[in-house]
Amino acid sequence: MLKNPENKYRPFISPIEIADRTWPNKRLTSAPRWLSTDLRDGNQALADPMTVERKLRFYDMLLKVGFKEIEVAFPSASQTEFDFVRKLIEGGLIPDDVCIQVLTQSRSDLIARTFESLAGTRQAIVHLYNATAPLFRRVVFRMERHEIVQLAISGVTAMLEESLRRPETDWTFEYSPETFCFTEPDFALEICERVLDVWRPTPERPAILNLPATVEVAMPNVYADQIEWFCRNISRRDSVVISVHPHNDRGTAVAAAEQSLLAGADRVEGCLFGNGERTGNVDLVTLALNLYTQGIDPGLHFPAVRDVVDLVEECNGLPVHPRHPYAGALVHTAFSGSHQDAIRKGFAAHERRNDGIWEMPYLPIDPADIGEGYEAVIRVNSQSGKGGLAWVLEQDKGLKLPRAFQVDFSRRVQAVADGLGQELTAADIWSEFCKAYSIGDTQAFELIEFRENGPRKSVSERVFSGRVLHAGTEVSVIGRGNGLISAAVAAIAERFGIEIEVVEYHEHALRQGTDAMAAAYIQCTDPNGSPVFGVGLDTDVATASVKAVLSAANAVHQASMRPRIERI
């Protein structure tokens, strides 16, 4: 890269000065008209263009998403493109409320071929374009301004003549001054006015003027100024639909589209997930869901966005980036501990509030609205914290860990994640939880049975009696206390010499119903004052409590064995 790029590159200086621009103070309140150009602009950008079968599958998906205007082909470009249009028409595959669009260059033979492809259709948009910017006039066409105007006039006149030969079709005309964003504003206006003079649109039969950012050359606010200036100055404004076609060369196509709508545009052309030549067209999925998260019905619907991603990837042969807005595989996922903690607290607050309003840290959209689950919202690696682990266990197993347990378990999992250097799955986390709190596998102390209500010596004293499996041998235990847990703690201390003092106890149901599992959590200290934790799971809450006591006893027993092992 050059140290002095100003010696090679010139900044784009817009000739438009709007002191009283209005678009910055406006807000979007409704969706624009949408046009998908995936099957034309998107398709021509593929190394391996779609077959007819793939285009049909894509077309069907666009209908299901809700597109009412679809640019389906460039019929004069190839026989395949021509045949695809014929297949849609002859197969009766165009719903009554959907209008297909086709593209043509400004040549009479190509225009005739384009109209031939549309024979028999009920309605269609024919889109003609020619480049208008000084660079293209000088380098590509070697034409003066008046010659470029004449090229457009001859094309739109041919379109009108072809349409009059086919009165059975409801025709809509569209014209694009290609490279509009770096065309002189007065010339873009002049050529569009001359086009309208030929077509003579009316409010009942409007024409479409499409103003493309064919190559992004400036910030999106500049494009918005260009659109507002054009909308202010074009005649027959009530008979014209202003359409925009932003490309993404500077990475700001979405912002450019949104700001152009504020500036007066009525319609947006683009592709799903931003496919298109070079850096792509504007991403219609992002635009639509941006509106949705502002409480605006976008008119495009993605109740199962993952299905849309899968089909687009298959038909285009291009991956959707895992960080792609809304639809990427990781966009609803937090690995960072602080993010996880905020999201978990957000879900808890959302449940308490119960007003239906979505206000969630780090999640601008409810993943469930687009068919995504909550299990992937928080995933665990070495960057994760206690909140993330608590979320995974709650979502996967229904466990609601008290804060002290979150801290203790997070320390254990952090060591494992650091050692592995990779993400831990829900199964990995559950395995570590079982190891940490003596669940499932054979442990030093396992409950066989017990009696909750033993004989009492007084009203304030209860007797716990039961049988415990210790080192493969059944052992009878008995203890007294002022409740079940204290009596069980006394029984373990009296029979095995393991003394713990209960600090906190929590319990909750894992699921509703007569077969509901219960979880019990017991936080204790050992004789040295060190914290000890125990967990018990059972269909009976009392049994879960006793298992939690034995889980804590196992932790103390394991700690007492470690020095012996090290000396050996």
Side-chain angles (χ1 to χ4, degrees), residues 281-360:
N281 294 279
V282 69
D283 172 13
L284 299 187
V285 177
T286 299
L287 277 174
L289 292 179
N290 280 356
L291 290 173
Y292 182 81
T293 61
Q294 300 302 303
I296 301 169
D297 179 3
L300 302 179
H301 303 287
F302 304 94
V305 74
R306 194 60 41 207
D307 292 345
V308 176
V309 170
D310 292 344
L311 189 141
V312 171
E313 288 184 331
E314 182 179 349
C315 290
N316 284 346
L318 296 172
V320 173
H321 195 281
R323 298 294 183 190
H324 193 99
Y326 301 111
L330 293 178
V331 295
H332 307 300
T333 301
F335 289 104
S336 160
S338 60
H339 288 203
Q340 293 173 344
D341 185 60
I343 291 170
R344 188 177 62 84
K345 290 174 178 174
F347 270 96
H350 181 70
E351 187 175 340
R352 289 194 302 270
R353 196 170 59 246
N354 194 31
D355 59 2
I357 300 299
W358 183 257
E359 291 181 331
M360 192 64 58

Side-chain angles (χ1 to χ4, degrees), residues 404-440:
F405 276 78
Q406 295 177 29
V407 174
D408 180 68
F409 186 51
S410 128
R411 173 179 53 81
R412 298 169 185 264
V413 174
Q414 184 79 34
V416 174
D418 280 335
L420 292 175
Q422 64 186 35
E423 179 186 356
L424 299 182
T425 66
D428 294 331
I429 294 168
W430 176 241
S431 176
E432 290 302 320
F433 189 81
C434 291
K435 290 178 186 176
Y437 304 113
S438 306
I439 297 172

Side-chain angles (χ1 to χ4, degrees), residues 2 12 137 150 214 217 219 225 291 317 329 402 426 439 443 498 519 542:
L2 301 174
F12 179 80
R137 299 197 307 260
Q150 188 54 47
T214 310
V217 295
M219 291 188 293
D225 280 349
L291 290 173
I439 297 172
Q443 303 293 337
I498 294 179

Side-chain angles (χ1 to χ4, degrees), residues 520-553:
Y521 310 92
I522 186 169
Q523 179 185 349
C524 311
T525 54
D526 65 13
N528 298 319
S530 300
V532 178
F533 299 89
V535 178
L537 304 175
D538 199 87
T539 54
D540 174 66
V541 66
T543 303
S545 302
V546 176
K547 286 183 175 180
V549 171
L550 291 178
S551 172

Side-chain angles (χ1 to χ4, degrees), residues 180-220:
F180 163 83
C181 62
F182 51 105
T183 296
E184 306 94 328
D186 67 308
F187 182 52
L189 184 68
E190 175 191 349
I191 198 168
C192 288
E193 291 284 12
R194 296 291 299 276
V195 165
L196 296 181
D197 287 342
V198 175
W199 285 343
R200 297 190 178 280
T202 65
E204 294 73 30
R205 299 185 63 81
I208 300 171
L209 293 179
N210 185 52
L211 309 177
T214 310
V215 181
E216 275 196 310
V217 295
M219 291 188 293

